[in-house]
Amino acid sequence: MIFPLVWRLLPGPTALKVIELVVLLAAIVFVLFTWVFPWVAADILPPPDGTVDTSPSP
């Protein structure tokens, strides 16, 4: 498993390791949502077919 390896590599006592792990996971999620997912979506997903009418209806 990767988690025990990461846990052993993180420096400090248990409380600091938990904080470091949360920050690390937040950074990974940020990178995924900022760069990876939009890049994958642009290359794999087809463009939308319809148009959206934004004019107000009477």
Side-chain angles (χ1 to χ4, degrees), residues 8-38:
R8 282 192 306 267
L9 290 176
L10 290 174
T14 303
L16 184 59
K17 286 184 180 188
V18 169
I19 293 170
E20 292 170 347
L21 192 59
V22 168
V23 170
L24 182 64
L25 290 175
I28 291 170
V29 168
F30 176 78
V31 167
L32 285 174
F33 277 98
T34 303
W35 291 293
V36 176
F37 293 155

Side-chain angles (χ1 to χ4, degrees), residues 33-58:
F33 277 98
T34 303
W35 291 293
V36 176
F37 293 155
W39 173 71
V40 170
D43 286 345
I44 293 177
L45 297 176
D49 289 338
T51 58
V52 177
D53 184 16
T54 59
S55 63
S57 59

